[in-house]
Amino acid sequence: MWAFRTSRRLKNVQISENEGVIVLGATPIGNLSDASPRLREMMATADIIAAEDTRNFHHLAHALGVKITAKVMSLHEHNEAHKLSEVIDLAAQGATILVVSDAGMPAVSDPGYPLVAAALSAGIRVTAVPGPSAVLTALSLSGLPTGRFTFEGFLPRKAGERRKRLDSLLTEERTMVFFEAPHRLADFLEAAVQAFGEDRQAAVARELTKKFEEVRRDSLGSLLQWAQEGVRGEIVVVIHGAEEAEPATVEELLPKVAQLVEQGTRMKQAVAEVAEKFGVKKRDLYEAVLAERHEADK
């Protein structure tokens, strides 16, 4: 049985005796000065620290001048499923557990989501120490609309699967944010050009908050030409959403219903899917499909 320090009071967070808590801690994405005082305090006072990479965490603690007295354990994508029960048990015993990824907020394209879901299911309190975010930093610097956006993370590495995901976003009107590895950036942008066209506006942000931070804002076609020369650093891609389409008429949507039916979808389901996607009344579209079939049978 672990013996944990209890009845501790952190800034704006009251931890009562025997109440375990899991804290998601946002770490710097480049500039160490972005580490918040609350993060430093949690690093120094937590009972357990679950880190994506324990060596990187100890380097961070040393750089920040924080003395670590907690037990440090690894929690990454390859062992998270096996570590869940252990972490939940420790929290149930009253431990304060700080969860950190290598950079940014845990659970956002990093380990953390399965743990949060399991903890909430088990009745364990979960809170966060917010801070640096590559997603929001790139979005705010992109010069693209920020009122509504969608975070798509890393797309599949295989070209066919990546293209399929991009094709599904063809009519997405919100600004889209992606993560990508530098050695795959040119392939990603080429697929984006094929999906959205070379004139779609976008931004590529690299090395955010670091000395050589760079944000290139241009059309997808121009960014592709630049990326083909080779790019280094951590990459975030932000792409303008689609322009709002003119409302489609039911007659214009008949070929889309027919295509789904040819692919094996039942007619009623095909009508429902197309009607929902294009914002028309399902009944009107269904009647138009029936009328077209009646004319074809004459």
Side-chain angles (χ1 to χ4, degrees), residues 55 72 77 90 100 121 129 136 189 213 260 270:
R55 290 175 299 178
V72 180
E77 61 177 336
L90 291 170
V100 293
S121 179
V129 175
L136 297 181
L189 291 174
E213 174 182 286
L260 289 177

Side-chain angles (χ1 to χ4, degrees), residues 27-48:
T27 55
I29 59 176
N31 193 319
L32 292 176
S33 297
D34 292 335
S36 71
R38 281 187 63 199
L39 176 66
R40 296 167 188 257
E41 181 184 11
M42 281 301 311
M43 291 170 62
T45 60
D47 297 308
I48 305 289

Side-chain angles (χ1 to χ4, degrees), residues 15 20 23 44 49 66 69 72 81 84 91 109 131 211 227-228 236 263 275 281 285:
I15 307 298
V23 183
I49 296 172
V66 178
T69 60
V72 180
L84 288 184
S109 279
K211 181 178 180 180
Q228 287 172 335
V236 185
Q263 295 172 353
K281 292 183 178 180
L285 181 57

Side-chain angles (χ1 to χ4, degrees), residues 270-292:
V271 168
E273 291 180 10
V274 173
E276 180 179 5
K277 182 176 182 179
F278 291 92
V280 300
K281 292 183 178 180
K282 182 168 61 176
R283 180 178 178 180
D284 291 346
L285 181 57
Y286 185 72
E287 290 179 349
V289 170
L290 292 180
E292 183 185 49

Side-chain angles (χ1 to χ4, degrees), residues 31 44 65 68 91 93 100 112 182 187 215 295:
N31 193 319
I68 302 300
Q93 294 174 36
V100 293
D187 291 338
V215 181
E295 288 295 323

